[in-house]
């Protein structure tokens, strides 16, 4: 059963658009223009669902995960690290992995410095969307390479008609999604009950 957060569900109903190919467009409040009030409420909800004493670091991926991750980091006083999609020439002790993107139909690398992700860290991963779980799998690999501990994964929006959520929960990962979408068929947005 989904645990939908009403404020986000209402906003998706009002301003979200279902595109061809099972893509939800939310660039009026998550992916391009940002709504800080909404981000504040969503991050408060993450702070309620994941015990802030259980993690010391929030990890995300640039670009769209950064805003909710920072808002949560502000509320819980945790450091926030974002995995980069371009390898900086100046990065020391770099951990790298590959991620396949269905929305862009390409493979890209994400990397994080071992300086900011290490065996001492208990990590909460925050991102905008969970679809096939490829980005999440990349993060799992980086956490593993660092020898860090993953505490959980929080997503603003999960598309349960794709298999990422099942894959992560089958690995016994604590996954929380603030809005779960069962279908985008016929350009209609149907939420999981
Ligand atoms: P996954 O790695 O779980 O297959 O896909 C997650 C990533 O793909 C997200 O970080 C997001 O950038 C992008 N993504 C997947 N589905 C959607 C969608 O329906 N709408 C938008 N805007 N981005 C999506």
């Amino acid at each position: 059963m989904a645990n939908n957060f009403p404020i986000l569900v209402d906003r998706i109903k009002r301003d979200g658009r279902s595109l061809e190919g099972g893509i939800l467009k939310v660039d009026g409040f998550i992916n391009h223009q940002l709504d800080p009030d909404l981000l504040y409420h969503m991050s408060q909800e993450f702070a309620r669902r994941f015990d802030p004493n259980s993690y010391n670091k929030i990890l995300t991926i640039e670009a769209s995960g950064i805003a909710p991750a920072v808002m949560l980091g502000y509320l819980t006083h945790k450091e926030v690290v974002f995995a980069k999609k371009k390898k900086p020439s100046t990065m020391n002790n770099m951990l790298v992995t590959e991620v396949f993107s269905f929305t862009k139909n390409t493979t890209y690398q994400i990397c994080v410095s071992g300086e900011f992700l290490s065996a001492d860290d208990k990590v909460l991963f925050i991102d905008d969307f969970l679809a096939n779980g490829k980005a999440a799998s990349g993060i799992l690999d980086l956490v593993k390479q660092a020898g860090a501990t993953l505490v959980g994964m929080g997503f603003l929006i999960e598309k349960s008609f794709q298999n990422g959520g099942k894959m992560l929960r089958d690995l016994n990962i604590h996954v929380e999604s603030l809005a779960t979408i069962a279908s985008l068929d016929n350009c209609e947005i149907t939420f999981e009950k």
Side-chain angles (χ1 to χ4, degrees):
M1 216 181 69
N3 185 7
N4 287 328
F5 183 56
I7 297 174
L8 177 58
V9 169
D10 289 348
R11 187 59 180 268
I12 293 170
K13 284 182 182 162
R14 201 180 86 197
D15 293 333
R17 295 285 171 274
S18 171
L19 303 184
E20 291 290 317
I23 299 288
L24 181 68
K25 191 170 153 85
V26 287
D27 58 359
F29 54 104
I30 288 176
N31 288 134
H32 190 10
Q33 177 169 261
L34 300 171
D35 178 339
D37 282 329
L38 176 66
L39 282 165
Y40 171 78
H41 291 299
M42 295 190 296
S43 298
Q44 250 188 345
E45 182 64 12
F46 279 138
R48 205 180 61 74
R49 294 190 190 191
F50 295 102
D51 176 3
N53 293 316
S54 67
Y55 58 92
N56 67 300
K57 193 161 277 185
I58 300 166
L59 183 60
T60 187
I61 304 185
E62 66 177 347
S64 296
I66 295 177
V70 167
M71 190 63 86
L72 179 60
Y74 176 74
L75 292 175
T76 59
H77 310 290
K78 310 288 175 184
E79 273 160 339
V80 177
V81 176
F82 64 91
K84 292 179 173 250
K85 289 182 174 165
K86 281 211 181 84
K87 282 196 274 179
S89 55
T90 52
M91 195 185 280
N92 293 324
N93 182 13
M94 192 166 55
L95 312 171
V96 189
T97 196
E98 294 212 324
V99 172
F100 178 73
S101 164
F102 284 95
T103 46
K104 299 194 176 107
N105 196 25
T106 50
T107 299
Y108 60 96
Q109 290 189 323
I110 55 169
C111 62
V112 70
S113 166
E115 220 182 318
F116 305 122
L117 186 65
S118 66
D120 301 334
D121 286 321
K122 295 198 194 86
V123 174
L124 176 65
F125 174 60
I126 294 291
D127 206 2
D128 58 345
F129 273 90
L130 173 60
N132 290 289
K134 299 294 178 190
S137 296
I139 287 295
L140 272 179
D141 187 33
L142 292 180
V143 167
K144 202 170 140 196
Q145 287 182 43
T149 306
L150 182 79
V151 165
M153 296 190 153
F155 301 92
L156 302 180
I157 301 171
E158 174 176 344
K159 297 190 292 182
S160 57
F161 57 90
Q162 292 173 307
N163 61 13
K166 182 177 181 328
M167 186 265 295
L168 296 176
R169 290 182 182 98
D170 283 350
L171 292 171
N172 282 324
I173 294 171
H174 177 190
V175 178
E176 294 284 344
S177 302
L178 301 188
T180 302
I181 289 170
S183 161
L184 292 171
D185 288 350
N186 307 316
C187 292
E188 246 174 67
I189 304 171
T190 310
F191 291 86
E192 196 85 59
K193 292 275 182 283

